[in-house]
Each structure stands twice: as C-alpha cells, then as structure tokens.
Amino acid sequence: MSDGNLQSDVLETPCAKKPKIDHENEKNGNDNQIPLNTFTPTKVLSNNTNRKTVFLLGKFKDKSGVAIVILEKNAFKEEELSSEGYFSAETRVHTFFNNDIYGNFECYPISKINGVKTTVIYPATDKHIAKYSKQEVHIVLESPDCYKNLTLPHLQKEQFNLQWVYNILEGKSEADRVVYDNKCEKEGFVLVPDLKWDGLTKESLYLLAIVRQRNIKSLRDLNETHLPLLKRIRDEGKKAILDKYNVAGSQLRIYFHYQPSFYHLHIHFTYLQHEAPGIYAEKSHLLDTVINNIEIMNDYYNKATLPFTIREMDPLFNIYETNGYVEKIKRIVNK
Ligand code: M7G
C-alpha cells in the first residue's frame, strides 16, 4: 500500500513575488542572502538562442567565490494571452515598420507577465562552470568494463554534491513545492517540480521523482529487485500529476538520463510536447523501456553497452580520450 500524500496547496504566482532563492545549503556554510541585484557578470558561459537561455559567470558584491546565474525567458502561458497583459492600454509598442498588410513591432507587455526565470548557483565550482560552458560534445560507448574501470572510479572520486537531494528527501528544502511524497524507505520517492520549471506553465511541465533509497546511483545499478519501486514511481507519479496538473499519463515523457549529473537515482517527468533539455536519444531512457528490459533480462543494465555524451571540459573526457574511446579529429591550430 502506498503511504503517499498528495499536497493540495495552491501554486504560487512567481511574478507577484521577489525572486525566490533557495538557501538550502545554510548548514553547509552558505550565507542565507543571495543579493541578486549586486551580481556583476564577468563572462557569458553559453547563450542558447533556441531556448532563450543565457548562462552567466560572475560575482556578487562583497562576496567571495564565483556564481553562475541562468536567465531564461519564460514560455507563454495560454491563460495570460487572453487576459489584459499583452494587449492592454498599458502595453507600450515600438513600431519597426508597416508594409501593406504586414506590421513589425516590439511590444512591452506589463511587467507582471514579463518575468525572467532566474537560477543561481552560488558558490559555483569548476565542475559547474564546465557543465554550463559552451564546448564540443562527443558520444562514447560505455561497455560494462568501461563503466567499471573508467566511469565508476571517476565518479566515486569526483561528482556533484548531493546535498540538495538529501534536503528535499528530509523536508529541509522545497518542502512547500513537493507534489507527492511516498515515505516508504524502500519503495518511496518524492515528486517535486524540477529546478528548470516555474511550477506553473503546463506547456513546460517538468517534475522530478527522487527515490528515497540512497544507494542507487543510476540506471546502471538497476535490476529486478527495483521493479516494484520503478512501477510505483511510474503509476503514483502519473496519478499525482493528473490530480494536481490535469495532465494525463499518456501526455508525459517519463525517463532517466544516462549519464546523469547527479548520481542519486531520479526520474524525469516532462510534458510530451515540451522539448526539455536532455530528451534526445543519446541521453534519455524511457522508464517503460527500462522496466521492460529488466523484465526480459534481470541484469540488463549491468551487461548493456550504453552510449553517453561527454563534454570536452569534463575530466571524464580526458580519461576516455586517453584510453582511445574518442574518435580523433584534426585540430586546426592557429599560428
Ligand atoms: P540529471 O539527469 O542528473 O542532470 O538531472 P541534468 O539533467 O542536469 O544533466 C538532475 C535534475 O535535477 C535536473 O533536471 C535539474 O534541473 C534538477 N535539479 C538540480 N538541482 C540542483 C535541483 C534543485 O536544487 N531542486 C530541484 N527541484 N531540482 C534540481
């Protein structure tokens, strides 16, 4: 039996509030004030014009260490399009040109619907900087031996801190955002809006199911003993999303990333029509396919060769390159 608890709290309207910054790491020594308005960008790490997202490296006034600030233009919310926000008397309009039946304008809608989603990572480590910097990417094939001899020793030595995950599981952070909480230690999980989602716009719905067990790093560790957990996440996750957001299970993409950035098992739930980052063939594995593969072969993920993408700034890239797993290209050297 599930001991899940669907919370019925009404979602907040982010536009009406100051930027909400999660100070989850207070106990790890972080200050609990992030002075966003004192941020000075020093470098554009990358600028994704398709996603209308920019990754900035910089510093806060009077703060040591560097920060990464991610700015993302929000998707349109359909319910706001029919309201006064875009076409009201308050809307300022700059006309570029009118030509016959065609017009080209820049429109400045009211600020309430014009927020910019802002994510802060502070203090940011070199690993964060590498993750968000524009760089070349390669696909490598990870055999079970490569996993054991190259990937695993590397990630045991060097991986992103999981404190934010434990804070969610222990109810210390984001507790008011939790959508569903199954407290069973063995088969329980917490369903929470992903950092990348504003928690409001159905068109870009993105939730994360974080398992309570702490010893499952990734897809690689899964076998038939995990089937009840995986099925529970699929079924209870779908139900919770239907109840809270009125999105049917058949409209959800439910998947793992391989490699993930964070080696504590979690599953992504996104709206099928939303092209979330990391949904492509080289990185995502549908939960239903994973369940089916394990049902066919108990130790499938222990035996499979799994492809994954690797960025040149990731130290793991050097390991795979040195061991001959990356195809060489001719580098053009500027004299
Ligand atoms: P991943 O596959 O390990 O990494 O997924 P990647 O997708 O970044 O390559 C981790 C997921 O956790 C991502 O979708 C992140 O956006 C999300 N995430 C990361 N952090 C630090 C947080 C957080 O503090 N809170 C929440 N709710 N989600 C987070």
Side-chain angles (χ1 to χ4, degrees), residues 107-160:
C107 203
Y108 302 92
I110 57 168
S111 59
K112 187 173 163 288
I113 56 169
N114 214 2
V116 173
K117 185 174 185 306
T118 306
T119 305
V120 177
I121 303 173
Y122 175 75
T125 62
D126 288 348
K127 208 166 155 56
H128 289 113
I129 297 171
K131 175 173 159 94
Y132 292 113
S133 295
K134 191 171 170 52
Q135 62 203 282
E136 294 294 333
V137 189
H138 298 258
I139 286 190
V140 293
L141 292 178
E142 185 193 63
S143 65
D145 278 350
C146 288
Y147 177 68
K148 204 167 111 230
N149 300 323
L150 304 180
T151 309
L152 188 59
H154 166 77
L155 68 91
Q156 280 164 341
K157 219 170 47 204
E158 198 178 321
Q159 59 165 295
F160 281 121

Side-chain angles (χ1 to χ4, degrees), residues 205-217:
L205 179 141
Y206 197 145
L207 293 112
L208 210 56
I210 303 174
V211 307
R212 289 208 167 272
Q213 278 191 59
R214 297 202 177 190
N215 56 350
I216 315 173
K217 288 184 287 308

Side-chain angles (χ1 to χ4, degrees), residues 35 114 264 272 289 329:
N114 214 2
H264 173 110
L272 200 50
T289 308
I329 54 158

Side-chain angles (χ1 to χ4, degrees), residues 237-299:
K238 278 185 188 177
K239 181 168 183 321
I241 290 173
L242 179 65
D243 289 350
K244 178 131 186 170
Y245 302 106
N246 200 24
V247 174
S250 54
Q251 294 183 292
L252 294 171
R253 180 187 295 106
I254 309 173
Y255 56 101
F256 298 89
H257 277 163
Y258 196 76
Q259 304 279 344
S261 297
F262 299 95
Y263 289 88
H264 173 110
L265 194 74
H266 57 272
I267 291 147
H268 304 253
F269 286 70
T270 61
Y271 188 51
L272 200 50
Q273 292 194 51
H274 174 49
E275 290 190 19
I279 59 169
Y280 302 107
E282 68 275 16
K283 180 144 181 174
S284 68
H285 297 253
L286 288 180
L287 175 58
D288 277 319
T289 308
V290 171
I291 290 174
N292 193 242
N293 285 341
I294 296 173
E295 281 174 339
I296 293 170
M297 191 195 288
N298 166 30
D299 53 357

